Amino acid sequence: MAEESAAVSRRTMLRGAVGAGLVTAGSMLRPTPAKADSGGQRVAVFGGGVAGLTAAHELAERGFAVTVYERRALGGKARSIAVPGTGRGGRPDLPGEHGFRFFPGFYQNIPDVMRRIPFPGNANGVWNNLVPAVEGRFSRAGADDTIIPMGRAGKPWSTPEDFRQTVASAIATAGRMPMTDALHFANRLLVFDTSCDARRFGQWENLAWRDFIGASSRSREFRTIMSRTLTTLLVAAKDDHASTRTIGTMGEQFLGNPLEIGNDGPLDRVLNGPTNQAWIDPWVAHLRDLGVRFETAELSRLEVRDRRISRAWTGAGPVTADHYVLAVPVEVARRLWTPEMLALRPELSATNRLVVNQMSGIQFYLRRPTSIARGHTAYVDSPWSLTSIAQNQFWSRTRLSEFGDGTVADCLSVDVSDWNTPGIRYGKPAVECTHDEIAREVWAQLCAHLEGDEAPREADLVSWFLDPGVAWDAARRRNTNADPLLINTVGSWSARPESHGGIENLFLAGDYVRTTIDLATMEGACESARSAVNALLEVTGSGAPRCRAFALYREPMLEPLRRADAARYAAGQPNLFEGAG
């Protein structure tokens, strides 16, 4: 009890600020395989990440003959990564990862797929392996922290002023900033939430988040939390580059739906075991049962003839199919565009304007459980914009002591979002640090934020594991990253392609394709794949049911104001609430 009291004494408790209702949206019924419609048509899916596996799943259920070609490992950035040589006494290697998994309640596409992946003992398949994280923590260096319970707010908004006051109160308490700043931010969010689609795409898409919220004229706390922290932690972007439309849409989901109406589940969810055990391995096994074949191969070239892909080339030789789904990241896809392809789909050349940046995770394996938070922690003052979660408290299905040498009691999984700002120990950005320096620097930044029994102790550290996609180039004294993250920069929507265009049998899937979620996430990858499958079904004239499309939540009370804003925007007038805060 003394330990718990000491830990709580430095936290400011904010209750009811964030909703996490368990309002489960109904999933579509599993489609009946439509072999008569597909005629056994062959589909080659290139890329075995979330986008590729989703496309294979939806197509196989509809009777298509699917082969997935993956160059490295199924699951992509979402997979677990075994830490080589750590297993002892018959135990498997410790589970590492590119970065921790996070399934917000407003995700809809991934949960819909998860319900159709069988898992022993689960009525709703893999979906039942999602468990709520009941709190989030904003940790400060040398100052009181804030714990935010992830529970529903008490009531919906009744008026725009109610929206503004309630959001401002929550932000002022959580962010420890002046009420004037909190009201200003709440009003800016109200401006966005009452903006029509034309304004969102025509104005806010082309304005940086920092400029939209007027960060330069506000307090240091405002600039730190509402501008820098929100953008860097959410999308690994700089606040002067991130699109207001992208960040505003996420704010609309996190703060604009206090009762979480239409959400699939609680706001913050994680898996109850290592990702491969709880999700990816059962998914691959199910796809094999559906007839999907998997090949280890890397796509190198696509050939075009008569407005169609005639064949593809991998290191193992040519691949021929009736249809081709390109489910690789944008930095790979744009290397595949040929002059013939660009002549048919000239809009693909714009993908060269899309920006990718480093964002990777590191895991610290500990001898004793940590008590930092019962959910995710954001280290607000960390130069590298760190976030973490202690895994073992959620892994009810598989304990960490069942891995490695049996001495590991917890895994503190940390995401490093900013690779270009100097750290506090070596004075270098992560991109210029060796792997050992990265581990020591991250550890130092964690310790600067935590104190007492919550602080990680060197004596408890068994080992650490850095995403192997991060490779140290000794000659250049810099890291490279095989798995960078797409960044939604100002104006980038115009550079993102639709899933289907002028090449009849080529379909694009990946988080760079235009989606409703509009963010480089597992949900975006999943949604894009479902869009690609629906386009393929249209092209083939299939009678199979289409993949269900989901809309992001918008507060119904504000809909009349959005309709009025459409007229104001068409007339060249600002949003009704501009200047009100």
Side-chain angles (χ1 to χ4, degrees):
M1 290 298 293
E3 176 180 321
E4 177 64 15
S5 297
V8 173
S9 64
R10 68 186 299 264
R11 307 172 181 174
T12 303
M13 300 299 292
L14 174 63
R15 301 190 181 280
V18 182
L22 188 57
V23 182
T24 303
S27 64
M28 74 179 257
L29 295 177
R30 173 176 170 174
T32 302
K35 296 184 183 298
D37 291 311
S38 70
Q41 294 184 70
R42 299 167 300 156
V43 182
V45 176
F46 293 101
V50 170
L53 295 181
T54 299
H57 191 158
E58 302 291 359
L59 288 166
E61 284 189 343
R62 291 159 175 81
F64 289 85
V66 181
T67 302
V68 175
Y69 298 86
E70 166 57 40
R71 68 183 179 89
R72 187 170 50 179
L74 296 174
K77 289 194 282 285
R79 75 191 188 282
S80 300
I81 306 169
V83 183
T86 56
R88 299 285 189 277
R91 300 178 190 85
D93 289 335
L94 288 166
E97 55 197 352
H98 169 75
F100 54 70
R101 306 274 70 75
F102 169 47
F103 299 83
F106 58 82
Y107 278 14
Q108 301 281 4
N109 291 277
I110 281 182
D112 184 69
V113 173
M114 282 180 153
R115 286 183 173 89
R116 292 182 277 125
I117 304 171
F119 195 93
N122 287 358
N124 292 297
V126 161
W127 182 86
N128 287 123
N129 290 340
L130 293 175
V131 294
V134 299
E135 67 184 21
R137 178 173 182 170
F138 287 84
S139 184
R140 305 302 304 260
D144 288 346
D145 293 358
T146 301
I147 300 293
I148 303 178
M150 294 291 167
R152 287 194 205 175
K155 61 183 181 66
W157 320 119
S158 57
T159 65
E161 183 59 25
D162 181 33
F163 175 98
R164 183 161 41 203
Q165 291 292 336
T166 306
V167 171
S169 295
I171 291 171
T173 305
R176 296 188 294 106
M177 66 181 64
M179 179 56 77
T180 53
D181 278 356
L183 280 168
H184 171 76
F185 181 83
N187 192 74
R188 297 313 293 163
L189 189 60
L190 182 62
V191 167
F192 184 87
D193 286 5
T194 58
S195 291
C196 63
D197 281 337
R199 190 183 299 278
R200 293 185 186 207
F201 282 93
Q203 186 174 1
W204 306 141
E205 167 65 18
N206 299 301
L207 183 69
W209 176 252
R210 184 175 69 179
D211 297 331
F212 174 74
I213 62 174
S216 61
S217 62
R218 313 311 297 190
S219 67
R220 179 182 180 276
E221 287 299 309
F222 185 97
R223 294 193 303 272
T224 298
I225 296 182
M226 310 318 298
S227 192
R228 175 183 178 267
T229 300
L230 276 183
T231 53
T232 307
L233 298 183
L234 184 63
V235 294
K238 297 290 187 182
D239 54 357
D240 59 343
H241 290 82
S243 159
T244 290
R245 188 178 65 83
T246 298
I247 305 302
T249 298
M250 291 301 98
E252 193 171 33
Q253 303 311 303
F254 279 106
L255 295 173
N257 185 9
L259 294 182
E260 303 198 355
I261 299 168
N263 272 18
D264 179 79
L267 182 60
D268 188 352
R269 297 177 295 182
V270 297
L271 289 166
N272 64 0
T275 308
N276 272 26
Q277 289 190 8
W279 178 25
I280 301 299
D281 289 347
W283 198 5
V284 172
H286 181 55
L287 295 184
R288 292 186 191 278
D289 289 341
L290 290 175
V292 175
R293 297 175 58 245
F294 294 94
E295 300 286 346
T296 302
E298 182 174 5
L299 177 64
S300 59
R301 184 160 50 98
L302 294 167
E303 291 184 5
V304 177
R305 180 180 302 169
D306 299 328
R307 304 184 67 85
R308 294 174 59 86
I309 300 297
S310 57
R311 61 180 172 178
W313 287 90
T314 72
V319 173
T320 56
D322 299 298
H323 308 282
Y324 299 82
V325 176
L326 189 60
V328 297
V330 65
E331 67 274 8
V332 176
R334 59 193 177 196
R335 295 198 298 264
L336 296 168
W337 312 143
T338 64
E340 294 80 10
M341 294 175 69
L342 294 175
L344 297 171
R345 291 201 64 177
E347 72 274 15
L348 294 182
S349 63
T351 58
N352 288 323
R353 293 196 286 111
L354 295 175
V355 176
V356 296
N357 205 346
Q358 295 218 41
M359 182 175 182
S360 297
I362 184 170
Q363 289 80 56
F364 295 99
Y365 301 99
L366 308 173
R367 290 187 175 87
R368 66 168 184 160
T370 60
S371 57
I372 298 172
R374 295 178 296 167
H376 293 90
T377 298
Y379 301 86
V380 174
D381 302 307
S382 58
W384 289 3
S385 294
L386 306 180
T387 47
S388 76
I389 191 165
Q391 303 279 31
N392 203 57
Q393 63 185 313
F394 299 102
W395 287 3
S396 59
R397 187 174 298 279
T398 304
R399 311 302 292 181
L400 268 163
S401 58
E402 298 173 14
F403 293 87
D405 63 2
T407 66
V408 174
D410 212 342
C411 170
L412 186 61
S413 186
V414 185
D415 277 2
V416 181
S417 298
D418 187 335
W419 286 69
N420 299 302
T421 298
I424 63 175
R425 177 164 182 168
Y426 296 104
K428 296 189 296 184
V431 72
E432 296 178 8
C433 289
T434 65
H435 291 186
D436 185 67
E437 288 173 338
I438 289 173
R440 294 178 183 275
E441 178 69 51
V442 170
W443 189 270
Q445 293 185 30
L446 295 176
C447 291
H449 282 72
L450 303 170
E451 63 181 26
D453 289 332
E454 293 175 327
R457 301 189 308 178
E458 290 277 358
D460 291 329
L461 182 61
V462 176
S463 60
W464 54 265
F465 177 72
L466 180 66
D467 173 15
V470 178
W472 176 247
D473 185 334
R476 299 175 58 221
R477 304 293 299 174
R478 293 180 65 85
N479 285 298
T480 59
N481 193 332
D483 300 296
L485 185 73
L486 174 71
I487 306 300
N488 293 58
T489 54
V490 167
S492 61
W493 179 260
S494 63
R496 297 172 64 180
E498 300 285 353
S499 59
H500 185 244
I503 304 174
E504 182 180 345
N505 65 339
L506 178 65
F507 306 87
L508 306 181
D511 57 20
Y512 70 98
V513 176
R514 290 183 176 181
T515 59
T516 302
I517 193 73
D518 187 37
L519 196 63
T521 58
M522 299 180 294
E523 176 75 353
C526 184
E527 181 186 347
S528 72
R530 289 155 67 96
S531 175
V533 169
N534 283 346
L536 190 153
L537 296 176
E538 290 296 318
V539 167
T540 60
S542 171
R546 275 29 177 185
C547 303
R548 182 177 175 183
F550 295 93
L552 291 174
Y553 177 82
R554 291 190 182 178
E555 169 56 56
M557 179 266 293
L558 300 178
E559 185 55 34
L561 294 170
R562 283 189 283 269
R563 290 197 296 268
D565 189 63
R568 294 181 65 88
Y569 183 70
Q573 298 174 337
N575 180 273
L576 180 66
F577 296 99
E578 280 286 0

